[in-house]
Amino acid sequence: MKSGYICPACGKAHKERRYFCSECGSFLDTESFENKKLCEEPEIRIKRILENLKHMPHTKILWDDMVDRYAKKVEAFKAITALPEIAESVNADLLEKMNSFLRICRNPEFQIAFVGTIKTGKSTLINSLLGHNYASMAVTPETAVLTKFRSSSQDYVNVEFYTKQEWKKLWESRTLAADAFMQEYQELGAGAQRDKWIGHSPVYKEMENENIEKELSRWSSSKSAVHYFVKEIEVGISSLPKDFPKQVVFVDTPGLSDPVVYRSEISKKYIREANAVFVCVEAKKMQKEEIDTIASVFSFSSHYKDNVHIIATHLDKLNHPKEEWKENKEWMKRQLVGKGFFDTVEMADTNIMPSSAYIYNLCRDFDSLDEDDEWDIVTFARHMKLDYKNLKAELPKIVQETNIKNIEKLAKEKLAGKYQVLLCQVIKRKYDEIIYALRRIAMERKKETGEIINISYVSRQEVEKKLKDQKRNYDEIRENREQLVKAMHMVQEYTQKRLNQFLASK
């Protein structure tokens, strides 16, 4: 075999001398076999599988030995399923399961997704948990791009854009409800910038912490023409607490009911792969659209319902927050317990919680507030029956009533603090799903082979039956022929005897 080879099936280059492609398992040089039919012999096929596994590249997973073992096995499964004889039995869903599994093993992100309908305070809640107003909290809907926030030693913003193929799919996925989308697209003159940004290489910028908000708004604001072409943004933040793991990522998702289906599918993909979900709804009255959003989240998160948290926002908008919230929470529990939602009333009671991130952020930035902002805190304090006349001294109690500290504790202790254990649980579950799918394929292949054998056996029996019938018919014909010949001889002898008797009488 010549030194080095380009696989004719998948194009992978091989430096070493090999008979089989390590990527797809195809033969690299069938000329090396004296008899080309030998390529199809079972022994050669087995050798190809073994060589494929032997040369399967593996980057050691350093963060967990168990995960490293799982990853090695799935890489081997993927190598085997790439073989032409097996590939036809493997569907796209299983391939995506294996790819998703390996992604999470190699890049262990613990994702907490934030979901909500328009203006339910999603970005405000994220800002309160991050300790600064990074995401826009304007009155009009602002965040139009999926944005990820994570701890980093250096503050940065990294922007990724749609490829030409992705943009084509996005544009073709507009629904009949996309009139507003198209109107805003045209008003902002986005079409003139399309060719500049579609397929653009990622834009990575390091900056001072105080400049993140402005830079983020440039790429994600619905008032910016360029946001249409941005696929996702990642923000690195250096000011997060030192105990905030770098592997934990807050994901601010656009709406699930986007009139552009492709964008909704991106949000759904992140929610499916998220390790926990915070769903923001109005504390005042949960609307049908919000219930539909919650139902969608549960359908994506059926394996870990306990990590779905309903955050009732805008508690400060209630005239009598404590009394009204108590009543509203009971109503929410009745709506959100049962098939497709929380399994038990106890789980719902724990995972449904109120919040007033807006008031919390005002208290955090109290020293730089104007009179109007202070008045919002005063109003909330009065509704909570706190001493609003001595506002600064009462801030710790006001902060406590916003419930953000409890949500922060949940995010840190129950989720971020145990991210490695929780990730391992997810990886184990994904591994079990892959094994189940592979076993099903193996059983189907076994069943198909069994049917072929049965059909062959039945066919053989039928042939044997026909041969037996033919032999029986032949035997009968031969016997009849012998009887006929014998009868003819008897007639002939009798006739000759009569003839002799007749001649003698003359």
Side-chain angles (χ1 to χ4, degrees), residues 304-359:
Y304 48 94
K305 290 184 178 182
D306 189 42
N307 283 342
V308 175
H309 303 276
I310 312 301
I311 311 297
T313 61
H314 300 150
L315 184 66
D316 50 287
K317 291 186 177 181
L318 301 180
N319 293 325
H320 303 284
K322 291 186 177 181
E323 295 81 1
E324 289 183 48
W325 169 243
K326 184 177 180 181
E327 182 180 332
N328 289 350
K329 183 175 181 178
E330 289 302 316
W331 183 84
M332 283 186 182
K333 287 195 293 185
R334 289 195 295 272
Q335 306 303 311
L336 302 179
V337 174
K339 188 176 180 180
F341 294 101
F342 291 114
D343 291 333
T344 64
V345 174
E346 291 74 20
M347 184 185 290
D349 189 64
T350 301
N351 288 30
I352 299 175
M353 57 197 74
S355 73
S356 179
Y358 170 66
I359 298 298

Side-chain angles (χ1 to χ4, degrees), residues 206-456:
E206 295 182 354
M207 63 199 68
E208 297 297 324
N209 187 271
E210 60 266 22
N211 295 329
I212 290 178
E213 182 181 2
K214 182 179 179 181
E215 184 67 22
L216 182 57
S217 179
R218 174 191 173 191
W219 302 105
S220 67
S221 173
S222 60
K223 295 184 179 65
S224 171
V226 70
H227 90 267
Y228 288 101
F229 316 114
V230 177
K231 182 179 180 180
E232 68 176 51
I233 303 172
E234 181 173 287
V235 181
I237 302 171
S238 64
S239 59
L240 291 176
K242 298 301 180 184
D243 61 348
F244 194 97
K246 289 180 170 56
Q247 292 82 0
V248 176
V249 181
F250 286 176
V251 183
D252 187 359
T253 64
L256 292 175
S257 56
D258 197 305
V260 181
V261 175
Y262 190 86
R263 299 199 303 192
S264 291
E265 290 302 319
I266 291 177
S267 294
K268 290 176 183 178
K269 175 180 176 292
Y270 270 93
I271 294 169
R272 286 190 187 97
E273 296 190 355
N275 304 98
V277 184
F278 286 178
V279 187
C280 295
V281 300
E282 288 285 349
K284 191 171 185 179
K285 184 66 175 178
M286 190 168 59
Q287 305 298 323
K288 181 183 181 301
E289 186 180 359
E290 292 173 314
I291 295 176
D292 291 342
T293 297
I294 294 170
S296 296
V297 169
F298 272 109
S299 70
F300 303 146
S301 312
S302 57
H303 293 290
Y304 48 94
K305 290 184 178 182
D306 189 42
N307 283 342
V308 175
H309 303 276
I310 312 301
I311 311 297
T313 61
H314 300 150
L315 184 66
D316 50 287
K317 291 186 177 181
L318 301 180
N319 293 325
H320 303 284
K322 291 186 177 181
E323 295 81 1
E324 289 183 48
W325 169 243
K326 184 177 180 181
E327 182 180 332
N328 289 350
K329 183 175 181 178
E330 289 302 316
W331 183 84
M332 283 186 182
K333 287 195 293 185
R334 289 195 295 272
Q335 306 303 311
L336 302 179
V337 174
K339 188 176 180 180
F341 294 101
F342 291 114
D343 291 333
T344 64
V345 174
E346 291 74 20
M347 184 185 290
D349 189 64
T350 301
N351 288 30
I352 299 175
M353 57 197 74
S355 73
S356 179
Y358 170 66
I359 298 298
Y360 175 87
N361 292 345
L362 291 181
C363 293
R364 181 195 63 204
D365 304 329
F366 185 79
D367 292 337
S368 61
L369 299 183
D370 57 28
E371 290 184 2
D372 289 339
D373 289 335
E374 281 193 23
W375 182 250
D376 288 338
I377 299 178
V378 169
T379 303
F380 182 72
R382 288 180 62 188
H383 288 163
M384 287 295 182
K385 299 178 175 59
L386 298 175
D387 184 7
Y388 60 90
K389 293 181 180 179
N390 191 12
L391 200 57
K392 191 163 187 177
E394 202 75 350
L395 283 181
K397 292 183 180 179
I398 297 172
V399 166
Q400 190 63 33
E401 293 294 348
T402 66
N403 204 44
I404 295 301
K405 287 295 183 182
N406 288 329
I407 298 173
E408 186 180 62
K409 183 179 180 181
L410 163 69
K412 284 186 176 180
E413 295 182 7
K414 182 182 176 182
L415 300 174
K418 298 179 179 178
Y419 83 92
Q420 190 163 334
V421 173
L422 295 172
L423 270 181
C424 287
Q425 291 174 357
V426 171
I427 286 170
K428 178 63 168 61
R429 175 175 57 78
K430 286 180 176 289
Y431 179 79
D432 289 341
E433 289 176 355
I434 291 170
I435 294 299
Y436 174 79
L438 288 171
R439 282 176 177 166
R440 188 175 61 184
I441 289 173
M443 291 300 294
E444 289 175 354
R445 290 292 294 265
K446 183 178 179 182
K447 182 180 177 182
E448 290 173 3
T449 304
E451 288 175 352
I452 292 171
I453 292 172
N454 289 336
I455 291 171
S456 300

Side-chain angles (χ1 to χ4, degrees), residues 17 47 51 67 107 113 136 152 268 276 279 312 319 373 379 490:
R17 292 168 57 85
K47 183 180 178 183
E51 190 169 341
V67 172
N107 185 27
S136 175
S152 171
K268 290 176 183 178
V279 187
N319 293 325
D373 289 335
T379 303
M490 290 176 65

Side-chain angles (χ1 to χ4, degrees), residues 38 51 83 91 103 124-125 128 135 139 160 167 214 221-222 237 240 262 270 366 396 502:
L38 187 63
E51 190 169 341
L83 295 171
N91 56 37
R103 278 198 303 270
T124 307
L125 175 63
S128 68
V139 176
E160 292 188 13
W167 179 255
K214 182 179 179 181
S221 173
S222 60
I237 302 171
L240 291 176
Y262 190 86
Y270 270 93
F366 185 79
F502 178 76

